[in-house]
Amino acid sequence: MPSLKAEQNLKARANLFKALGNPTRLLIVNLIRLSPRHTEELASILKLSPGTISHHLSTLSEAALLESKKEQYYVSYSLIPGVLDIKLEEMVSMSQPGLEQSVEKDAFKDKVMRAFFERGRLLQIPTQQKKLHVVLEEIAKAFDPDKSYTEREVNIIIADFHDDFATLRRELINFNYMTRSKDGMSYRLRS
Amino acid sequence: MPSLKAEQNLKARANLFKALGNPTRLLIVNLIRLSPRHTEELASILKLSPGTISHHLSTLSEAALLESKKEQYYVSYSLIPGVLDIKLEEMVSMSQPGLEQSVEKDAFKDKVMRAFFERGRLLQIPTQQKKLHVVLEEIAKAFDPDKSYTEREVNIIIADFHDDFATLRRELINFNYMTRSKDGMSYRLRS
DNA sequence: AATTTAATTTGACAAATATAAAATTATATC
DNA sequence: GATATAATTTTATATTTGTCAAATTAAATT
């Protein structure tokens, strides 16, 4: 089940950014970056209560940015070495190139399909290009990729979806879902 | 007035991170990264209302991550090219190495000074090393860097701060604020 | 010009966050 | 073992945030 893991991942990424997405915590990271610090010291530098600083430090630690070490009376916090040595791009990008793409297409497509089709019939031809593409793609599925068709055959197949087969046939060619032979006599799916 | 500018900067940085610090917005960035998208499309993919998506898109735009362009009925959003091509380190680091450092030291020092000194007198010798250092540094200022002192002279000067001049003198040597000559007859500030 | 439609803005609300103050915990120093 | 002290946790509160639904705006198609 990659989706669960992906979601975990997503949250973890977001938390890293969220941890850095606060002025006080950015200051803390910058102070700590120069030399390790303890809670009280940071509190007095930033003029916030130790409790508040402690809270911020734990947020940063949970985001896997800081490490700490008991030192005399104090807990000394420091940046985990190399933790900032990464590109924003790497932090942001999810690795599932396929998954997301399919999720998205299906969702948008579903919406359009529900809106424009009813029991296999196309209710109307969408004006909007993005929706039209969904419709054309669906109609294209009715053709066999290995066969070529006469115009009349094409019309009949399209007419199962909608009466205005002429417009739809034109759009299929227009947007390159189908191609017409040079002599204009036969049609087939774009290979 | 560099501090105002620094603060602006600080907030802008934090906002960039904050913009990315939300799972929905991370998904949006990832979807947009692959190909430009419009609001409704994202809404249907992510199953959130158009209003919500619009809000997220404006957050991302304010963080200078997205650009948009009207296209047919739609507003097509895309990532500003190269915007993610930067190290986390560069995003986090503030450039004022001096400023911050002085702010911090003064703040912590001030707190210790107020706690341990009263009208120039040291109320007690701090147990804690970090505080002791602040105190020793302060006492060290009473010596002329160009002069050397007999032990008796050192004692007299320290006695102005606190009766237990012997301990303080020992700590000054201990922590290398002052050095004692080989013959043990003269003291001076660490050069 | 009228109509359609995507996008944005507004209003409302529940959830999350940043903060201080106080209580508690954990650990050094004596 | 008692005491001192930094750190953390808890409680409380004001602010910010994410979301939806509804109203409004802006713009393209008719």
Side-chain angles (χ1 to χ4, degrees):
Chain A
M1 200 130 297
S3 81
L4 221 178
K5 204 182 165 198
E7 206 169 300
Q8 284 293 88
N9 212 316
L10 179 67
K11 238 178 194 169
R13 281 158 200 271
N15 279 341
L16 192 276
F17 284 120
K18 197 158 25 166
L20 294 171
N22 169 283
T24 298
R25 285 194 293 268
L26 267 189
L27 282 173
I28 290 175
V29 168
N30 271 277
L31 288 166
I32 282 179
R33 207 167 55 87
L34 305 175
S35 60
R37 310 276 181 173
H38 60 266
T39 311
E40 233 204 9
E41 194 178 1
L42 290 166
S44 94
I45 292 169
L46 297 172
K47 289 168 186 160
L48 292 169
S49 76
T52 299
I53 296 297
S54 183
H55 161 250
H56 284 312
L57 288 170
S58 86
T59 299
L60 289 166
S61 299
E62 270 161 40
L65 286 163
L66 302 186
E67 61 190 11
S68 63
K69 163 181 159 210
K70 189 90 187 174
E71 227 174 47
Q72 216 197 349
Y73 257 121
Y74 309 91
V75 176
S76 173
Y77 284 88
S78 48
L79 268 193
I80 291 175
V83 81
L84 298 180
D85 197 22
I86 182 176
K87 281 254 198 78
L88 219 47
E89 168 98 39
E90 295 173 65
M91 284 304 309
V92 167
S93 309
M94 326 257 218
S95 41
Q96 289 85 347
L99 196 113
E100 259 80 47
Q101 213 162 18
S102 57
V103 166
E104 63 56 31
K105 222 173 211 161
D106 279 27
F108 180 61
K109 194 179 153 177
D110 278 7
K111 193 193 161 188
V112 174
M113 290 295 288
R114 271 194 304 278
F116 285 88
F117 285 90
E118 194 170 298
R119 267 162 295 136
R121 283 290 281 180
L122 177 61
L123 299 174
Q124 69 176 152
I125 301 174
T127 301
Q128 294 164 48
Q129 265 189 34
K130 299 227 174 189
K131 293 180 181 173
L132 180 58
H133 279 295
V134 172
V135 167
L136 294 176
E137 195 183 344
E138 182 65 18
I139 294 178
K141 285 185 193 158
F143 294 87
D144 182 334
D146 298 323
K147 270 186 70 182
S148 93
Y149 299 84
T150 64
E151 181 165 312
R152 191 182 136 73
E153 289 174 316
V154 170
N155 288 345
I156 290 174
I157 290 175
I158 297 179
D160 281 344
F161 292 99
H162 192 272
D163 291 342
D164 188 357
F165 52 80
T167 297
L168 286 168
R169 196 194 58 232
R170 214 177 310 119
E171 297 290 33
L172 281 168
I173 302 299
N174 239 355
F175 290 114
N176 210 29
Y177 286 88
M178 298 191 85
T179 56
R180 182 165 43 189
S181 65
K182 275 173 202 152
D183 62 16
M185 299 306 285
S186 69
Y187 293 75
R188 50 165 48 242
L189 284 182
R190 186 196 52 192
S191 50
Chain B
M1 205 132 292
S3 79
L4 221 176
K5 205 181 163 195
E7 207 170 298
Q8 284 294 87
N9 213 315
L10 177 67
K11 238 179 193 164
R13 282 158 199 270
N15 280 339
L16 191 277
F17 285 120
K18 198 161 22 169
L20 293 171
N22 168 281
T24 299
R25 284 194 296 268
L26 267 189
L27 282 173
I28 291 175
V29 169
N30 271 277
L31 288 166
I32 283 181
R33 207 167 56 88
L34 304 174
S35 60
R37 311 276 182 172
H38 60 266
T39 312
E40 233 203 9
E41 193 177 1
L42 290 167
S44 95
I45 293 168
L46 297 173
K47 294 172 183 155
L48 291 170
S49 75
T52 300
I53 296 297
S54 184
H55 163 248
H56 284 311
L57 287 171
S58 86
T59 299
L60 289 166
S61 298
E62 270 161 41
L65 286 163
L66 303 185
E67 60 190 11
S68 64
K69 163 182 157 207
K70 187 90 188 173
E71 226 174 48
Q72 219 197 344
Y73 259 121
Y74 309 91
V75 176
S76 173
Y77 284 88
S78 48
L79 268 194
I80 292 176
V83 80
L84 298 180
D85 195 23
I86 182 178
K87 282 257 197 73
L88 218 48
E89 169 96 39
E90 296 172 64
M91 284 304 310
V92 167
S93 310
M94 326 257 218
S95 43
Q96 291 84 347
L99 195 112
E100 259 80 48
Q101 213 163 17
S102 59
V103 165
E104 53 84 5
K105 224 175 208 164
D106 278 25
F108 181 61
K109 194 178 151 178
D110 278 7
K111 193 194 162 188
V112 174
M113 290 295 288
R114 270 193 303 278
F116 284 89
F117 284 90
E118 194 170 299
R119 266 161 297 134
R121 281 293 280 183
L122 176 62
L123 298 174
Q124 68 176 150
I125 300 174
T127 304
Q128 296 163 47
Q129 265 190 35
K130 299 225 174 191
K131 293 178 181 176
L132 180 58
H133 279 296
V134 173
V135 166
L136 294 176
E137 195 182 343
E138 183 65 18
I139 293 176
K141 286 184 192 161
F143 293 87
D144 182 336
D146 299 322
K147 269 185 71 179
S148 94
Y149 298 83
T150 64
E151 180 165 312
R152 190 181 139 73
E153 288 173 316
V154 170
N155 289 345
I156 288 172
I157 290 174
I158 296 177
D160 280 346
F161 292 98
H162 193 272
D163 291 343
D164 188 355
F165 53 79
T167 297
L168 287 170
R169 195 192 60 231
R170 213 176 309 119
E171 297 291 31
L172 281 168
I173 301 300
N174 239 355
F175 291 112
N176 209 27
Y177 287 88
M178 298 190 85
T179 54
R180 183 164 43 191
S181 64
K182 277 173 199 152
D183 62 14
M185 298 308 284
S186 71
Y187 294 76
R188 52 167 44 247
L189 285 182
R190 186 195 54 193
S191 51

